[in-house]
Amino acid sequence: MKRVLFDVAALISRVVLGVIFVAHGWQKWQGGLGAAAAEFREMGVPMPGLSAGFAAIVELIGGVLLILGLLVRPVALLLLIDMIGAIVFVHIGRGVLSQNGGWELPGARGALALMLAALGGGRIGLDGIVNTMFRRRRERRIAEDDLAAHRPVRRAEPTTVVTEEPTTQPMREPTTQPTTQVRPAGGPTTPARPEGEAEQPNVPRQPGAPRPGHLNDEDMRDIDALVSDEPTQPKPPNR
């Protein structure tokens, strides 16, 4: 709220002071710089030609810039110098009141110019618009820098180059019957049978007839009986 009140007060002060200075500067331009220089010479102002030109330009152009709110601080400083010269060289020895030629009017204008030079012309003006734009850009740049500073930096992972070396080993011929291993749940790994081969049942071997060329137990007993000297009893017939 205080900022808004200052902006409004600064706007009113700028416009009023600018109109007053434009009126005085236009009066000097309209009457001619020669006539203004002669008047300054009669009042005892040093370098009347230069002083008249400086006062006319600063009051006319500076008043317009104050109304627009452009370059308020440097313009207000130049107008303050103009008023100080008028008070020192013309009005200081004539008292305060303007009716006697005193420093009343140039003192008030100089004090208002000093306030604008010190505090600025507020945000309602060209200076305020430009300053707002630059401030927003600066704040955005600062925010982007802070974000970039706190952002984690991704490190580039090292890349490995794999080179294929020629192999001297002979190429193996592909197998026609690849075998795969079947791992049952909870049991050991058993090789799988090739396709097309039927699983053979595990049948226990049955005792059968003796194969030719092999001796059984009875033949061995007969051989032992023949070799020994004891007589052998006749063998009962096979039933």
Side-chain angles (χ1 to χ4, degrees), residues 1 16-17 21 32 41 53 58 66 92 95 99 108 116 124-126 130 132 159 161 165 177-178 218 232 234:
M1 187 63 182
V16 173
L17 186 61
F21 275 114
R41 187 179 297 108
V58 168
L66 285 182
I92 189 66
Q99 60 184 1
L116 292 176
I124 307 176
L126 296 180
V130 174
T132 301
T159 57
V161 180
E165 297 181 356
Q177 294 292 337
E218 294 180 359
T232 60

Side-chain angles (χ1 to χ4, degrees), residues 12 17 20 33 83 106 111 126 145 164 205 210 215 226 239:
I12 296 174
L17 186 61
I20 295 174
L33 292 180
M83 292 297 101
L126 296 180
D145 294 341
E164 296 183 356
R205 182 177 298 177
L215 299 177
L226 292 175
R239 294 181 181 179

Side-chain angles (χ1 to χ4, degrees), residues 1-11 122-124:
M1 187 63 182
K2 293 181 179 180
R3 182 64 176 174
V4 175
L5 291 177
F6 171 77
D7 293 335
V8 175
L11 174 64
R123 294 177 296 179
I124 307 176

Side-chain angles (χ1 to χ4, degrees), residues 4-190:
V4 175
L5 291 177
F6 171 77
D7 293 335
V8 175
L11 174 64
I12 296 174
S13 302
R14 286 192 293 104
V15 172
V16 173
L17 186 61
V19 170
I20 295 174
F21 275 114
V22 167
H24 282 267
W26 179 250
Q27 183 182 10
K28 293 180 178 64
W29 275 102
Q30 190 176 10
L33 292 180
E39 185 178 357
F40 277 27
R41 187 179 297 108
E42 292 177 1
M43 291 185 293
V45 179
M47 295 181 291
L50 182 61
S51 299
F54 174 79
I57 295 173
V58 168
E59 291 176 1
L60 181 61
I61 300 178
V64 174
L65 294 177
L66 285 182
I67 296 172
L68 297 176
L70 181 62
L71 302 175
V72 174
R73 292 178 183 270
V75 168
L77 183 60
L78 293 177
L79 292 173
L80 175 61
I81 295 173
D82 183 28
M83 292 297 101
I84 291 174
I87 292 172
V88 172
F89 295 109
V90 178
H91 303 280
I92 189 66
R94 300 180 182 182
V96 178
L97 299 179
S98 59
Q99 60 184 1
N100 298 326
W103 54 267
E104 178 182 3
L105 184 59
R109 289 185 291 176
L112 191 56
L114 176 61
M115 186 189 70
L116 292 176
L119 302 178
R123 294 177 296 179
I124 307 176
L126 296 180
D127 284 345
I129 296 173
V130 174
N131 291 334
T132 301
M133 293 174 58
F134 278 100
R135 185 178 66 253
R136 289 180 179 177
R137 290 183 180 179
R138 183 172 60 255
E139 292 176 354
R140 185 182 304 173
R141 189 182 304 110
I142 293 174
E144 291 177 355
D145 294 341
D146 293 341
L147 182 61
H150 291 84
R151 183 179 299 170
V153 179
R154 295 183 179 179
R155 297 181 178 179
E157 297 181 357
T159 57
T160 57
V161 180
V162 179
T163 57
E164 296 183 356
E165 297 181 356
T167 58
T168 57
Q169 298 179 359
M171 298 181 62
R172 299 180 179 178
E173 296 181 357
T175 58
T176 57
Q177 294 292 337
T179 59
T180 58
Q181 293 182 355
V182 179
R183 183 184 298 272
T189 303
T190 57

Side-chain angles (χ1 to χ4, degrees), residues 192-204:
R193 295 179 180 273
E195 296 181 359
E197 181 178 354
E199 184 177 358
Q200 301 294 332
N202 189 7
V203 180

